[in-house]
Amino acid sequence: MKFSLRTFGRHLLGALASATLQAWVMVLCVACALSLLRVGQIAWHWPEGLEVSLADLWSVVFQGARFDLKVCAAAAILLWPVLIIVPARWHSWLTGTVTLLFVTASLVNLHYFGFYKTPIDPVVFGFFEDDTKAILQTIWSDFPVTLTLSVLAAASWGAMAARKAAYDRLSLRLNRGIGDRLIPVWLTLLGVLCALFLLALTTKGTLRAMALGRQNVSVTTSQFLNDMVPNGVIALKFAWDGRKASQNFSDPLLGLKQLGYDSPMAAARVLGIEASDNKALRASLFAKGGEAPSAAGKPHKNLLFFLMESWSAEPFRYQAKDFDVLGRLAPTLAQACHFSNFDSAQPGTHPSLEAILFSTPITPLTLGPQGKRPIPWSVPLILKQAGYHTLFVTSTRSGWRDLDRVLRTQGFDEVVDANNLKAAYPEATLGIWGVWDSYVFRYLSERLKKKEDKPLFVFVLTATNHPPYDLPPEYQRIERNQAKWGGERNADTLWLNIDSYHYATDLLGGLVQEVRSGPQHANTVMAATGDHNVRSFGLYATPERRHLVSQVPFVIWGDGIDCGPQRQLPASHRDMFPTLLPLLGINSGFVKTGRNLLLDPAKQANPALNAPFSMNYYGTARNARGSWTLGDPASFVCSPGPAGADCRFDAQQDAWARAQLGLLDWNVRATLRH
């Protein structure tokens, strides 16, 4: 019996030591593979003109390696008990699976950054919520799939082969030492315990109280380099945390706390908002009338609003006779209010759509129960209650993200999508993302000629200016002086994208000209913006280009509109409907997400709520001096211009921005949590 127990104990000790050695060898080999992939990612995406110090590069590689060790150690701890239990012949399969998954995640992160200019974020979950087939078709046509699979195979095989070679050599010595009793039992046990302790410490990533986390990603002043720090696994973990927070309506203070405020009243005090309690504070976030000049008492005007797919602001800068990117839109700008220093709320189409229509920094909002009942401040619902007939028109399929259901619930009387347009125009072809945008503008042209009993609110979402940048066969590509393009040229789809950009913008310009020269001109306000910037136009990584990273146009056309002094001041999507609705005589009921861009901010009573800065709903802001991540003074990057010595982080403006964003978040969570 003694012999059996002693034998069992020796086998158990050997299994513990072997599993611990296997775990550590896997950690080191896979972490090395991830670090090498990071170096490759930096080289693959290196922006033209970016110059950084060797010390900054080393900081990124070193910090990235810490994250690599962290995620590999976490996987090893989870795998360790399994390695003890299962037969040794399965160990290579188990560690190989981890290797393959981690390398795949890093390669996904590489291409995700190329597309969205950010490491993997919550938008990634749209792969399953969007038209997955269309996304896969786009990936196949627009990304180096064969090269990526080759790198995946090589990196995974290299890490697995290195693990096997190292483990075979070390385990042979370990087993010989334990079997021949050259290593005492107590020393073997101590070694296993120390190795497990170090594994747990590596999972934490630091000796300090706070574990290595999102706050440790920023190690340089270059946003590009900081974006290279997370590997695919840790970026996916951050995205999952963000996704969970967006779906957590049990704690209305969640967003406020993340932005540095422990209560809504604390944020209100920073903004100079006087309110006796939370109910009064929530009421103060809504427009009450009498706060801006309006068309009150006059018949309501039609409002045509265009959310143009990937409609970046940068091409506007290079428009010329021999470099035509705007087509028929160009001559309309002289009679328009063009806000040329303007940012999108979010980096994706659906997040921006929700931000604009539902005044929410939380996304996805309407995929859960919150989308199944009317949101009281929904823009189409407010306009419907004001007597408008509300119409949503898109060249894509409205089943995308469940929009066909959500849009009707939130106040749209009609939803016209690619399927409706195909039925109306049988010659239309259904492509990856829907029908060509030309059918949207043809439908609108015909619809606007019909007599309506009510004023119209039309929200238009285009789709053609999207990878893979296909265009209808009848589109005539135009010659351009390519030297006039003043931006980056790294993307091989740049000129295809310029053509699809011109195609969509020219169609918009044609409709604007038609309406502005027709009988409805005095009775119609038109506005257009982009949902987000586009990847083909660059990474905007150099300091002199960083301010362009989220810029989209915002243009308003209408009779008798005084454009005011803010056309070159920083602004963003949150400022659009506080600007447009008063033009229609609607001065109450909507969330005051931002400021009215037609007014002089210097003449407004509350400077905190009217300060000329731009804010993204994912936590970045920009003023005339530079841009920064909210709450992080070290992230401040100066913008080019006359700021000079004044180029510095403004702590007060940062506090205002965090308070405004926090209160918008709180309003959504507190109101829609039941």
Side-chain angles (χ1 to χ4, degrees):
M1 187 68 176
K2 280 186 176 180
F3 176 78
S4 297
L5 285 174
R6 187 178 293 115
T7 302
F8 173 77
R10 191 177 297 119
H11 281 303
L12 178 60
L13 184 60
L16 290 172
S18 178
T20 306
L21 177 63
Q22 184 83 270
W24 262 111
V25 170
M26 184 196 76
V27 166
L28 295 174
C29 291
V30 177
C32 283
L34 297 185
S35 292
L36 288 173
L37 286 172
R38 176 178 294 100
V39 173
Q41 178 173 322
I42 293 172
W44 180 273
H45 288 305
W46 192 267
E48 46 179 287
L50 179 63
E51 296 181 3
V52 299
S53 67
L54 193 59
D56 280 352
L57 271 177
W58 167 246
S59 296
V60 170
V61 172
F62 175 74
Q63 192 76 336
R66 292 177 65 195
F67 276 106
D68 296 339
L69 287 167
K70 175 186 174 75
V71 298
C72 292
I77 285 179
L78 293 174
L79 204 59
W80 184 75
V82 183
L83 294 172
I84 297 173
I85 297 168
V86 303
R89 64 179 179 273
W90 292 102
H91 289 188
S92 292
W93 287 98
L94 291 169
T95 56
T97 300
V98 172
T99 303
L100 186 64
L101 290 174
F102 279 28
V103 170
T104 299
S106 285
L107 290 173
V108 169
N109 189 51
L110 182 152
H111 290 305
Y112 193 93
F113 180 84
F115 193 90
Y116 287 106
K117 306 180 181 70
T118 177
I120 293 171
D121 63 6
V123 175
V124 74
F125 299 106
F127 178 82
F128 304 102
E129 297 156 352
D130 288 348
D131 186 336
T132 304
K133 180 181 177 182
I135 293 174
L136 289 172
Q137 286 180 282
T138 301
I139 290 172
W140 180 256
S141 65
D142 209 44
F143 290 90
V145 177
T146 303
L147 176 61
T148 302
L149 292 176
S150 300
V151 173
L152 172 63
S156 301
W157 179 85
M160 292 178 199
R163 182 211 60 79
K164 186 177 186 306
Y167 175 74
D168 287 349
R169 177 172 296 184
L170 293 172
S171 66
L172 184 64
R173 295 180 180 180
L174 179 66
N175 292 335
R176 185 180 300 162
I178 295 174
D180 296 344
R181 301 184 184 180
L182 300 175
I183 304 174
V185 171
W186 68 267
L187 187 59
T188 305
L189 276 173
L190 181 63
V192 169
L193 290 174
C194 287
L196 288 175
F197 174 74
L198 287 174
L199 205 58
L201 197 62
T202 305
T203 300
K204 187 181 178 186
T206 177
L207 294 172
R208 299 178 181 178
M210 288 287 290
L212 196 68
R214 190 189 294 269
Q215 71 278 4
N216 303 111
V217 168
S218 295
V219 292
T220 74
T221 57
S222 167
Q223 187 61 49
F224 169 76
L225 289 182
N226 292 340
D227 285 341
M228 297 296 108
V229 171
N231 55 57
V233 178
I234 202 71
L236 193 58
K237 197 268 182 185
F238 291 160
W240 179 251
D241 290 343
R243 172 74 173 204
K244 284 198 301 182
S246 74
Q247 303 302 300
N248 181 4
F249 285 80
S250 61
D251 181 8
L253 303 182
L254 181 64
L256 273 168
K257 290 175 181 176
Q258 290 174 341
L259 289 161
Y261 297 100
D262 57 7
S263 71
M265 298 303 286
R269 285 193 293 272
V270 168
L271 295 172
I273 298 174
E274 296 182 3
S276 56
D277 54 27
N278 285 351
K279 183 178 179 181
L281 174 56
R282 190 177 296 117
S284 74
L285 302 179
F286 290 79
K288 300 182 185 66
E291 298 176 357
S294 70
K298 298 179 181 179
H300 285 310
K301 294 184 176 183
N302 299 319
L303 175 60
L304 309 183
F305 184 92
F306 299 85
L307 187 62
M308 304 288 288
E309 170 65 40
S310 300
W311 207 42
S312 301
E314 189 173 14
F316 277 64
R317 300 158 67 93
Y318 313 129
Q319 170 67 20
K321 287 184 178 179
D322 58 347
F323 193 83
D324 183 16
V325 286
L326 302 184
R328 288 172 287 173
L329 189 77
T332 73
L333 296 177
Q335 290 79 41
C337 300
H338 175 204
F339 297 91
S340 58
N341 198 0
F342 197 86
D343 292 324
S344 63
Q346 296 279 9
T349 302
H350 187 257
S352 285
L353 185 69
E354 288 197 320
I356 294 166
L357 288 178
F358 311 130
S359 306
T360 174
I362 302 169
T363 188
L365 178 68
T366 56
L367 293 181
Q370 289 74 27
K372 295 179 181 178
R373 58 180 184 270
I375 297 171
W377 56 83
S378 163
V379 169
L381 189 59
I382 290 169
L383 284 157
K384 185 174 182 177
Q385 291 167 347
Y388 278 78
H389 183 80
T390 54
L391 171 65
F392 187 95
V393 184
T394 180
S395 51
T396 191
R397 298 170 178 86
S398 62
W400 170 69
R401 295 285 181 110
D402 214 10
L403 283 181
D404 49 354
R405 174 190 59 79
V406 169
L407 294 173
R408 288 185 173 86
T409 301
Q410 302 306 331
F412 279 105
D413 295 309
E414 293 182 70
V415 176
V416 175
D417 72 346
N419 294 315
N420 302 110
L421 294 171
K422 171 66 175 173
Y425 309 108
E427 71 277 13
T429 55
L430 280 168
I432 294 177
W433 297 106
V435 298
W436 304 118
D437 286 346
S438 58
Y439 292 103
V440 164
F441 289 94
R442 180 177 168 184
Y443 173 84
L444 288 172
S445 175
E446 294 171 3
R447 180 66 183 262
L448 292 172
K449 292 180 174 68
K450 296 179 181 178
K451 186 176 181 180
E452 302 278 350
D453 296 332
K454 298 178 179 180
L456 276 176
F457 167 54
V458 185
F459 191 104
V460 181
L461 175 64
T462 65
T464 300
N465 185 35
H466 188 289
Y469 309 118
D470 288 337
L471 287 170
E474 65 271 14
Y475 176 73
Q476 298 295 315
R477 299 181 187 272
I478 61 175
E479 293 294 326
R480 297 183 181 88
N481 179 0
Q482 295 186 359
K484 291 288 184 74
W485 176 254
E488 299 169 46
R489 297 170 180 260
N490 289 7
D492 55 8
T493 56
L494 173 63
W495 302 113
L496 291 174
N497 196 172
I498 291 290
D499 280 336
S500 62
Y501 186 101
H502 172 268
Y503 166 80
T505 307
D506 177 71
L507 288 171
L508 172 63
L511 187 68
V512 170
Q513 289 190 23
E514 181 182 328
V515 173
R516 298 295 299 145
S517 62
Q520 295 266 37
H521 73 91
N523 197 39
T524 301
V525 174
M526 304 180 74
T529 190
D531 54 355
H532 54 78
N533 205 331
V534 63
R535 71 184 185 91
S536 296
F537 296 162
L539 295 174
Y540 305 99
T542 56
E544 63 272 13
R545 285 177 55 77
R546 187 63 193 168
H547 66 291
L548 298 173
V549 68
S550 298
Q551 282 202 4
V552 293
F554 177 47
V555 188
I556 305 174
W557 298 268
D559 284 3
I561 299 176
D562 182 355
C563 296
Q566 299 202 54
R567 282 177 287 176
Q568 283 78 46
L569 297 180
S572 60
H573 275 167
R574 71 191 187 106
D575 303 305
M576 291 189 302
F577 276 94
T579 300
L580 294 171
L581 291 174
L583 289 175
L584 310 177
I586 299 173
N587 283 309
S588 62
F590 59 90
V591 180
K592 295 186 291 185
T593 50
R595 65 193 196 271
N596 188 328
L597 298 177
L598 301 179
L599 304 179
D600 187 343
K603 296 180 180 178
Q604 304 311 303
N606 189 330
L609 297 176
N610 291 280
F613 65 85
S614 160
M615 183 172 69
N616 305 110
Y617 283 168
Y618 50 90
T620 62
R622 188 171 59 81
N623 58 23
R625 298 167 181 164
S627 55
W628 72 98
T629 299
L630 295 182
D632 184 6
S635 67
F636 187 82
V637 177
C638 295
S639 297
D646 282 339
C647 179
R648 66 184 188 281
F649 176 77
D650 188 328
Q652 183 182 57
Q653 209 160 83
D654 175 68
W656 288 347
R658 287 186 290 111
Q660 289 182 43
L661 185 58
L663 287 177
L664 288 176
D665 185 286
W666 169 73
N667 175 60
V668 175
R669 293 186 198 273
T671 308
L672 302 183
R673 61 176 170 163
H674 301 298

